[in-house]
Amino acid sequence: MPEKVITNKVLCYVVREGRLLVLRHTDFSYEEVGIQVPGGSVRPGEDLADAALREAREETGLTGFTVVRKLGETEYDISPHRFEIQRRHVFKLTLHGPTPERWTSQEDHDGEQEPTRLECFWIPLRTAHVLQSGQGALVGRLFD
């Protein structure tokens, strides 16, 4: 088995009126990728909060995000998909300005790969347990 790499990731819990902003990859089924929150890789030398803001903007196509606070960190082993342990830095964000209930977006990956097509929408916080791959691990801290 290959040695597992540890990578730093950010996850964004964007909360508004008791609802959580989530997304799904429209080129794959729910069975393959589930429902996720905005998030992704931290660039070398990038501040973690800045990475959270950047990922939220890139994946949703929206601006107006503000970091409220860091909720904590978790580790998640995503094997066998990739032999990688993700050290996830989880942030609570707010979003200023109106948004639709549901909209399409795409992440362009700085032109390094094909764009990822996304659908963004809001779910009640009480249903955040449906998040894939342990992404909902720190949702309870939103209520601390």
Side-chain angles (χ1 to χ4, degrees):
M1 182 183 312
E3 187 172 330
K4 294 181 183 176
V5 176
I6 297 176
T7 58
N8 279 306
K9 302 286 186 175
V10 290
L11 294 180
C12 306
Y13 292 170
V14 182
V15 180
R16 175 186 276 172
E17 298 171 0
R19 297 185 305 160
L20 181 69
L21 178 59
V22 296
L23 52 87
R24 72 178 190 90
H25 294 255
T26 57
D27 292 331
F28 301 94
S29 68
Y30 279 107
E31 292 84 359
E32 291 178 275
V33 296
I35 296 173
Q36 305 174 33
V37 293
S41 298
V42 179
R43 294 175 176 163
E46 187 175 28
D47 177 79
L48 295 170
D50 290 342
L53 290 169
R54 176 183 51 76
E55 285 291 344
R57 286 191 305 265
E58 287 177 356
E59 293 192 350
T60 66
L62 302 175
T63 58
F65 292 100
T66 304
V67 171
V68 175
R69 65 186 168 109
K70 184 174 181 181
L71 298 172
E73 296 176 17
T74 64
E75 286 195 353
Y76 190 83
D77 185 340
I78 67 166
S79 305
H81 176 63
R82 287 193 303 266
F83 291 98
E84 175 182 314
I85 296 174
Q86 295 182 347
R87 181 170 293 127
R88 296 172 170 177
H89 304 270
V90 184
F91 289 86
K92 178 181 180 183
L93 277 61
T94 57
L95 175 58
H96 307 281
T99 61
E101 286 295 310
R102 188 175 292 265
W103 67 97
T104 58
S105 182
Q106 74 175 31
E107 184 174 11
D108 293 323
H109 306 287
D110 299 326
E112 295 174 5
Q113 65 187 62
E114 286 296 310
T116 301
R117 296 185 310 171
L118 304 166
E119 179 182 35
C120 304
F121 53 100
W122 299 90
I123 63 170
L125 263 176
R126 71 180 182 283
T127 63
H129 64 276
V130 301
L131 294 170
Q132 66 97 23
S133 302
Q135 288 191 0
L138 299 186
V139 167
R141 293 190 183 174
L142 291 169
F143 304 99
D144 290 347

